[in-house]
């Protein structure tokens, strides 16, 4: 009797697993570029936020002055931005640079606690110095921040 129960449960488990695999493989999605994305900057690592998403980008945030790496293959550092979108994600209401950014890399990130808390990646040394931000020892770490007031 015990062998029959084990065989039956194993067969049932395999049948359910195959059904799930086949069901997932039949799903198809249509991808569309979001309205705020450009062809000039890298934009990646989206995460849901109130009224839209937060994401990483190497968008230049100042017309007059911006920090960049002084290494041979220099690049613009990545920052966290929030895009406020319409509910259908078809239109952009606004794009704002998050105020926890440094002159170095930030992101990806995850908001929680009603968008009042954030866990994010950034360079361990975020002091404002000029030069090569990829210097030895300035690796990435994971940070936590809380919003001080509702905005």
């Amino acid at each position: 009797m015990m062998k029959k129960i084990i065989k039956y449960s194993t067969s049932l488990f395999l049948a359910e697993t195959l059904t799930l695999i086949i069901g997932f493989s039949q799903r198809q999605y249509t991808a569309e570029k979001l309205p705020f994305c450009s062809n000039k900057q890298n934009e990646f690592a989206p995460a849901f936020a109130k009224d839209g998403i937060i994401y990483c980008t190497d968008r230049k945030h100042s017309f007059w002055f911006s920090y960049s790496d002084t290494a041979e293959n220099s690049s613009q550092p990545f920052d966290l931005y929030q895009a406020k979108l319409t509910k259908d994600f078809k239109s952009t209401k606004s794009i704002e640079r998050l105020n926890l950014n440094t002159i170095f890399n930030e992101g990806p990130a995850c908001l929680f606690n009603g968008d009042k808390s954030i866990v994010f990646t950034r360079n361990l040394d975020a002091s404002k110095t000029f030069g090569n931000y990829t210097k030895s020892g300035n690796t990435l770490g994971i940070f936590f921040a809380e919003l001080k007031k509702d905005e």
Side-chain angles (χ1 to χ4, degrees), residues 11 13 21 30 33 58 78 88 97 113 122 130 142 147 151:
S11 298
F13 173 76
I21 291 170
T30 302
K33 186 171 93 171
D58 56 356
F78 288 100
D88 63 0
R97 186 172 177 251
N113 191 22
R122 81 170 184 201
F130 293 98
I142 300 174
L147 191 62
E151 294 182 357

Side-chain angles (χ1 to χ4, degrees), residues 6-78:
I6 292 172
K7 282 183 183 178
Y8 177 73
S9 9
T10 303
S11 298
L12 185 59
F13 173 76
L14 289 174
E16 289 174 354
T17 303
L18 285 173
T19 302
L20 286 173
I21 291 170
I22 291 168
F24 284 128
S25 68
Q26 292 176 349
R27 291 184 181 181
Q28 293 183 1
Y29 295 92
T30 302
E32 294 178 34
K33 186 171 93 171
L34 290 176
F36 63 87
C37 289
S38 75
N39 294 330
K40 295 179 182 177
Q41 294 94 20
N42 293 299
E43 294 145 337
F44 64 98
F48 284 108
K50 189 176 184 178
D51 300 325
I53 61 169
I54 57 170
Y55 63 99
C56 300
T57 181
D58 56 356
R59 168 191 305 251
K60 189 175 178 181
H61 63 270
S62 171
F63 177 77
W64 301 105
F65 184 76
S66 185
Y67 293 96
S68 64
D69 188 358
T70 59
E72 186 177 323
N73 297 324
S74 66
S75 62
Q76 187 76 15
F78 288 100

Side-chain angles (χ1 to χ4, degrees), residues 75-93:
S75 62
Q76 187 76 15
F78 288 100
D79 287 323
L80 289 168
Y81 277 74
Q82 180 173 9
K84 294 191 177 183
L85 303 167
T86 56
K87 289 186 183 203
D88 63 0
F89 280 61
K90 300 283 184 191
S91 301
T92 306
K93 295 179 186 177

Side-chain angles (χ1 to χ4, degrees), residues 102-117:
T102 66
I103 63 171
F104 301 109
N105 292 299
E106 284 85 30
C110 177
L111 290 165
F112 60 100
N113 191 22
D115 287 359
K116 293 181 175 127
S117 301

Side-chain angles (χ1 to χ4, degrees), residues 102 104-106 121-126 133 138-141 143:
T102 66
F104 301 109
N105 292 299
E106 284 85 30
T121 302
R122 81 170 184 201
N123 285 92
L124 293 174
D125 179 4
Y133 69 82
N138 198 10
T139 56
L140 298 172
F143 292 78

